[in-house]
Amino acid sequence: MNKGIILIDADDTSITVSWPEIGKSSSSSSSSSSSSPKYSFQYRPSTSADDNGMDSGGQLTYQSLSTELTTNTARKRNLTGAGHGFFFRVSATTKSKNRVDKSSMDYMGHAYRRPFKVLTMMEQSQRMSPPVAKIDSSAASPQPNSYVAHVSWQPYADPLILGYKLQMRESNGSSSWSTVAKCLSGTEVRKKNLTSRSGYMFRVRPVLQGETGGSEENLVASVCEGGNVIPFSSASDVVGARKSSGGSSSSSSAGEAILKLFKRLPHNKLLAKGGMKSVSLGEAFDKVDLVFLYASASWCGPCRKYTPGLAKFYNEANDMYAKTPSRTTKIEIVFVSADRDVNEFRNYYAGMPWLAIPFDSETRERVLSWMKVKGVPQLMCLDGRTGKI
C-alpha cells in the first residue's frame, strides 16, 4: 500500500492519478450525502531533471484544479510542453481550511519522488486497446467469498510478437500496478481468488523480440517501462466492485443502459437546481421517456446563445407533463460540461434548470468521449429506457 499519489494511466495529453483517502468530511446538519471527504487538488510542471517534488519553502507555483473533488481519483487533460513531467498534490478540504494557498506541508505529494510523464505521440500510437474484464460466474474460485475475472484483449499485429504482459491493480487509492504474467501466449486469462469489494482493473502490453532498456521501476512515473518497450494499454473498466449494503438502489423504471452510461458517478448522484442540490440516478430518470445530453461550455459564444432557448423548451415541456402526464412525453436534460475549470462550470450551470454531471467526476469526461464531442454546443437525444440514440 502506498501513502501518496500514484499514477494510474497516462496518454500523450493527460494523466490519471489516485491517492489514499485522507481526512474526513466535516459533520453537517443537512448531510444526506456520503461521509467521503472533499479534496483540494493541484499540479505544476516539473522544473528540471533534478526536481524531486519537494517544496519545503513553498516557492514553486501550483495551479489549482479543484477545491471540491469528491473522489480520490482525478484526470488532468490538455497537458503539453513539460518535458520533465508533472507533479500533483492533494489535501483534504474542510470548512475551516478550504483555501487553495495552504502551506505545502498540508498537502500529500507523490508516493515516489518522481514526476509523472505523458507519452509521446509515437508511444501513444503503439498502445494496445484496453482489455475487457468481466466476472466469470461459470468458473468457481478456490477461495471462499472470492470471484473470478475473465480478461481478454485484441491480438497485437506485429511479426515480432512473443506474447503479452498483463498487470492488475485493486481499484482503490493505495494499490499500485502489479504483474500477473510476464509473457502470456494467448489473448485471454482467468484471474481467480479476487476478494476486493472495490474491484480490480487490468492493463496489457505486447512483448516483442529485441526489447531492451525497459524496467518496471519506471512504471511509478510512466505507463512505459522505457527503452524500446511498448507502453501498457489504458486500464480496463473496473470489474468486481460491489456496493455497500447501505447504498440506495436505482429505480428499476430507469433504463439499465442509461444508468450504465453514468457508472462511476460519485455517490450515484447528479447535480440539480444549478448545483444547489443533488438527486440519485433512479430519481433523476424515473419514468423519463427522453434523455438529452447537452455538451456545452461558458467560453463558447454559440452555446451561450443556445442555452436560453433550450431552457425555455425544457421548462415548457415539464409544465406540459405536469398538467397531462398521460398524454405528454417526459424529458430530462443532463449538462455535460466542456468548461476549462470548475469555476467556469459553476457560474455557467448556476443559471440552468436541468441536471448536470459534477465537473470533477471522471464520468463527465467519459460521457464527452462517448458522445464523440468535437465541438459545442452538441445536443444528443437518448431513449430513456433503451439508451439508444
Side-chain angles (χ1 to χ4, degrees):
M1 295 292 182
N2 297 293
K3 295 183 179 180
I5 300 173
I6 57 176
L7 178 69
I8 304 302
D9 190 25
D11 56 29
D12 54 340
T13 61
S14 71
I15 290 175
T16 302
V17 300
S18 188
W19 56 89
E21 184 174 299
I22 53 178
K24 296 182 179 180
S25 63
S26 56
S27 59
S28 172
S29 59
S30 62
S31 182
S32 59
S33 60
S34 158
S35 60
S36 298
K38 290 184 178 181
Y39 299 105
S40 173
F41 184 57
Q42 303 181 351
Y43 88 108
R44 67 171 176 84
S46 178
T47 58
S48 70
D50 298 325
D51 188 352
N52 66 358
M54 299 296 289
D55 187 23
S56 58
Q59 298 178 350
L60 297 175
T61 301
Y62 279 79
Q63 180 177 342
S64 177
L65 297 174
S66 176
T67 57
E68 294 186 350
L69 197 64
T70 57
T71 65
N72 60 341
T73 298
R75 182 184 183 190
K76 176 65 180 83
R77 303 169 71 103
N78 302 319
L79 291 172
T80 57
H84 299 298
F86 300 87
F87 281 104
F88 296 82
R89 66 183 188 179
V90 65
S91 176
T93 299
T94 65
K95 283 186 175 181
S96 60
K97 189 184 289 186
N98 60 4
R99 297 172 61 87
V100 299
D101 57 349
K102 302 176 187 179
S103 162
S104 62
M105 300 300 291
D106 293 328
Y107 284 88
M108 174 186 290
H110 289 195
Y112 305 93
R113 295 294 179 183
R114 295 175 61 181
F116 298 148
K117 296 186 176 181
V118 295
L119 296 175
T120 64
M121 292 180 66
M122 176 62 73
E123 289 172 332
Q124 177 64 19
S125 70
Q126 295 172 327
R127 299 176 84 185
M128 296 176 61
S129 298
V132 176
K134 299 179 179 179
I135 294 293
D136 189 347
S137 56
S138 66
S141 188
Q143 184 175 331
N145 300 318
S146 64
Y147 52 94
V148 178
H150 177 264
V151 187
S152 61
W153 53 91
Q154 294 296 316
Y156 192 77
D158 193 301
L160 300 179
I161 187 75
L162 294 175
Y164 302 92
K165 187 170 185 177
L166 182 69
Q167 290 194 325
M168 64 179 286
R169 68 176 293 271
E170 188 176 347
S171 183
N172 59 33
S174 304
S175 298
S176 299
W177 289 99
S178 62
T179 299
V180 177
K182 292 187 176 181
C183 191
L184 292 164
S185 58
T187 57
E188 62 179 337
V189 70
R190 284 177 172 81
K191 187 67 179 75
K192 301 179 180 180
N193 299 323
L194 301 178
T195 58
S196 173
R197 296 189 66 86
S198 60
Y200 299 86
M201 52 180 65
F202 296 83
R203 67 182 184 182
V204 66
R205 74 163 178 86
V207 179
L208 305 181
Q209 294 179 27
E211 287 186 356
T212 58
S215 171
E216 285 196 4
E217 293 182 358
N218 292 325
L219 295 177
V220 300
S222 173
V223 296
C224 184
E225 294 174 54
N228 64 348
V229 178
I230 304 296
F232 276 96
S233 70
S234 293
S236 69
D237 285 341
V238 176
V239 63
R242 289 168 281 183
K243 297 179 181 179
S244 61
S245 58
S248 59
S249 59
S250 296
S251 170
S252 59
S253 65
E256 290 185 8
I258 292 293
L259 298 181
K260 185 178 180 180
L261 183 62
F262 295 96
K263 65 183 178 180
R264 301 188 194 176
L265 193 67
H267 317 310
N268 289 320
K269 290 186 176 182
L270 292 165
L271 299 178
K273 295 189 179 299
M276 299 300 292
K277 61 174 291 188
S278 59
V279 296
S280 68
L281 290 177
E283 179 184 353
F285 301 121
D286 183 31
K287 300 179 181 179
V288 169
D289 299 297
L290 297 176
V291 176
F292 293 86
L293 301 178
Y294 180 42
S296 182
S298 60
W299 48 261
C300 166
C303 294
R304 293 196 303 271
K305 292 181 180 179
Y306 184 75
T307 298
L310 184 62
K312 181 180 179 182
F313 160 76
Y314 177 81
N315 291 328
E316 289 178 351
N318 282 337
D319 288 343
M320 289 178 62
Y321 180 80
K323 295 175 181 177
T324 55
S326 62
R327 295 186 296 158
T328 309
T329 298
K330 184 177 182 181
I331 72 164
E332 188 52 78
I333 298 178
V334 180
F335 174 41
V336 190
S337 173
D339 285 303
R340 291 166 293 200
D341 59 52
V342 68
N343 288 327
E344 285 186 358
F345 163 77
R346 285 177 186 157
N347 292 334
Y348 191 34
Y349 179 53
M352 297 181 183
W354 43 69
L355 306 177
I357 301 175
F359 185 83
D360 295 324
S361 168
E362 67 172 290
T363 303
R364 178 184 64 85
E365 295 182 349
R366 187 169 51 77
V367 172
L368 284 172
S369 177
W370 180 83
M371 294 174 67
K372 298 181 180 179
V373 173
K374 298 186 183 299
V376 289
Q378 179 174 321
L379 189 66
M380 179 180 287
C381 181
L382 307 178
D383 186 297
R385 289 171 175 77
T386 67
K388 293 183 179 180
I389 299 174

